[in-house]
Amino acid sequence: MTLAVDTPEPPTLDFVDPNEYEDATISGGSEEIDYRREELQEFLENGAWEDAFEEWRTDTNLDQREFGIARDLDLFAEFDFFWDDFADRVGYHAPGIPEDWQAREYHPELDTWGTVSAINAALTEFGQVVSVILKEEYIDWEAAYEPPEDLPDFD
């Protein structure tokens, strides 16, 4: 069943070192890494975000109430997307509801771990859809990472 909701605004991609996230690790040399956030921001604003949201909302298990909670908490604005040159992919960090949601009275309609889990899982799935759409339909560059020549030969 398609979730009948409006597409939220795309996030603003600020500089954050993705290695600071618990759910992302970016490999590479010690040189300054170009996460290409400006280009990704432009792609999000020029259709990638809306394309991904349309695809995601037709398949998500999130219901209106759960989506409303995520919207109220402005979780869609907390997404981060960055170019991972080493893996030749768009990496992402999906926001989520923290484990201490009960103690913090995070949202008045949050009532069960099932609801929290459903929202967090759906946000992760959405991040993956955005990542794939960006890579497959918007990005026209190639990874510049060159592995060192002294890597062992596993043939």
Side-chain angles (χ1 to χ4, degrees):
M1 178 185 335
T2 299
L3 184 62
V5 295
D6 292 333
T7 305
E9 291 296 315
T12 300
L13 304 182
D14 297 320
F15 181 82
V16 175
D17 181 349
N19 290 306
E20 293 179 20
Y21 298 129
E22 291 179 15
D23 60 350
T25 302
I26 305 301
S27 298
S30 59
E31 70 280 352
E32 188 68 30
I33 297 173
D34 182 5
Y35 295 114
R36 303 188 87 146
R37 283 195 169 88
E38 289 177 9
E39 293 103 319
L40 294 174
Q41 181 76 55
E42 190 173 317
F43 294 148
L44 291 173
E45 292 171 359
N46 290 327
W49 180 261
E50 192 165 327
D51 294 346
F53 191 81
E54 184 61 33
E55 180 178 318
W56 172 80
R57 74 184 185 120
T58 61
D59 295 327
T60 188
N61 292 326
L62 221 55
D63 64 25
Q64 294 283 136
R65 183 177 81 75
E66 294 162 338
F67 178 82
I69 293 168
R71 184 194 56 232
D72 291 350
L73 294 172
D74 209 19
L75 294 177
F76 290 93
E78 293 180 27
F79 271 96
D80 186 23
F81 298 94
F82 47 88
W83 178 245
D84 181 353
D85 199 57
F86 181 77
D88 191 28
R89 71 179 177 102
V90 176
Y92 68 95
H93 171 72
I97 297 171
E99 291 181 12
D100 65 348
W101 61 272
Q102 290 172 310
R104 292 173 53 190
E105 298 179 16
Y106 207 64
H107 189 281
E109 290 187 43
L110 277 180
D111 52 0
T112 67
W113 277 104
T115 300
V116 170
S117 294
I119 292 169
N120 287 349
L123 291 172
T124 299
E125 291 165 358
F126 177 60
Q128 181 63 37
V129 172
V130 175
S131 176
V132 168
I133 285 180
L134 282 166
K135 176 73 168 113
E136 291 179 356
E137 298 179 23
Y138 287 84
I139 291 175
D140 61 358
W141 62 74
E142 298 289 326
Y145 175 76
E146 294 287 334
E149 293 187 21
D150 61 347
L151 287 178
D153 186 9
F154 294 108
D155 291 335

